[in-house]
Every structure is written in structure tokens, then in C-alpha cells.
Amino acid sequence: LRQDTLEDGRIDYNVLVANPIAAEFFNTTAEAMIGSSLGQFVPESVFVDTGAAQHAIGETLGQAVAEGVSEPLEFSLNTDSGLRWYRLMADPVGSDIGVVCFDITRQREQKIRLETEAFQDALTGVLNRRGFERLASQCLASQDDDVTGALLFVDLNDFKRVNDDY
């Protein structure tokens, strides 16, 4: 990509090189991308679903130009096959920017699944002890003042046997 300042002062990025995977990602051809503005290929869902994603992508690209480095940016897109997650990396290449985008949907789904298994009962979906402790500490930490409260434990005789049987 090459950074370009438009007549109205906005920054845009022109595509210098695109591979078939990038073209597939943006649902076009590599030939159509080359020489065009990146903005015309970024799906509308980036702007709608993630709110500030357009701004964040612009900042990431601008940071790569200005500072010579960038942090990875993660964002989601609603696609025909459902919600997909991507990680964008932008690195300076001379006076231009090299952009690589990875589909990280499977990793995000696995992380969510593992977190769910760690903090919820697999059968009922109710928080387990670790999940309850985490939620309680988050709730208490988010309070502005010294909040007092009470916690009630209920012990049901032979509940483990009933739970295991049913």
C-alpha cells in the first residue's frame, strides 16, 4: 500500500501489489485491486459491526508509516459464512506499507470454548466455583465505593449423588 492524501485532507491507501488470497478476502481479483484505493474493497461490515474498525485500521496503517512499526489489530466481519475474526499486521516497506491479514476465527472460537469450559459447568452452563469467584471479583472491583454484601451458601444433602444420577 502507498499512503495518499486526498484533496479533502483525508488519508487513503493505494494498492500496489495484491495476491490471490487478498483478492479472495476482499471478494474481487488481484488485477482489480492493483492501483485502486483500499477503501473501496474494505467491506461495509467492517464499519458497521465493529464501530471504530475503520478508524483503527487507519491508525494502524498510519502508525506503520509514521513510526515504522505497528501493533497487530484484531477485528471481526459478518460474512456469508458467519462471524469471522481477523488479525491485521502492517509493516513499513521503504516508503510503502506491507499488510498481512490472518483469519483467526478458529483460534478465537477455541479460546472462547476453553474459557467456557474453565468457568462453567458443562452440563448446565451455570458458573462453577472459579467462574463465580471471577465474576464476584469483577463486580466488586467495578464498584466506586466500599460496597458491603453477603454471600449465602446452600448445602443440599446428597446432591452429588442426585446430580450424578440425573
Side-chain angles (χ1 to χ4, degrees), residues 1-157:
L1 300 177
R2 178 163 291 146
Q3 187 176 13
D4 186 27
T5 304
L6 303 176
E7 291 178 8
D8 62 4
R10 290 182 297 129
I11 301 291
D12 198 3
Y13 297 90
N14 293 316
V15 179
L16 301 176
V17 178
N19 65 14
I21 301 297
E24 183 180 329
F25 177 78
F26 290 114
N27 197 27
T28 186
T29 64
E31 294 78 24
M33 290 184 74
I34 297 172
S36 300
S37 163
L38 179 65
Q40 78 184 73
F41 297 105
V42 177
E44 277 297 311
S45 56
V46 169
F47 310 122
V48 175
D49 293 338
T50 58
Q54 179 183 19
H55 179 69
I57 291 171
E59 278 188 356
T60 298
L61 297 176
Q63 183 180 9
V65 170
E67 301 173 17
V69 295
S70 72
E71 294 292 322
L73 172 68
E74 292 185 3
F75 61 94
S76 63
L77 292 175
N78 270 326
T79 67
D80 293 338
S81 60
L83 184 68
R84 308 293 300 176
W85 281 91
Y86 298 96
R87 177 178 294 127
L88 178 131
M89 297 290 298
D91 293 305
V93 180
S95 61
D96 300 323
I97 308 166
V99 177
V100 180
C101 199
F102 302 96
D103 185 334
I104 59 168
T105 304
R106 193 170 10 178
Q107 293 91 325
R108 294 278 301 212
E109 289 171 348
Q110 184 177 15
K111 178 182 174 186
I112 290 168
R113 184 180 54 77
L114 290 173
E115 188 170 293
T116 300
E117 289 174 2
F119 296 109
Q120 293 180 356
D121 178 76
L123 179 63
T124 65
V126 174
L127 291 178
N128 61 20
R129 181 183 301 247
R130 274 182 273 151
F132 173 77
E133 289 171 351
R134 184 176 75 161
L135 179 62
S137 67
Q138 289 172 346
C139 288
L140 291 173
S142 68
Q143 298 298 318
D144 292 336
D145 54 6
D146 284 337
V147 175
T148 58
L151 178 60
L152 175 66
F153 282 98
V154 177
D155 184 19
L156 301 175
N157 292 338

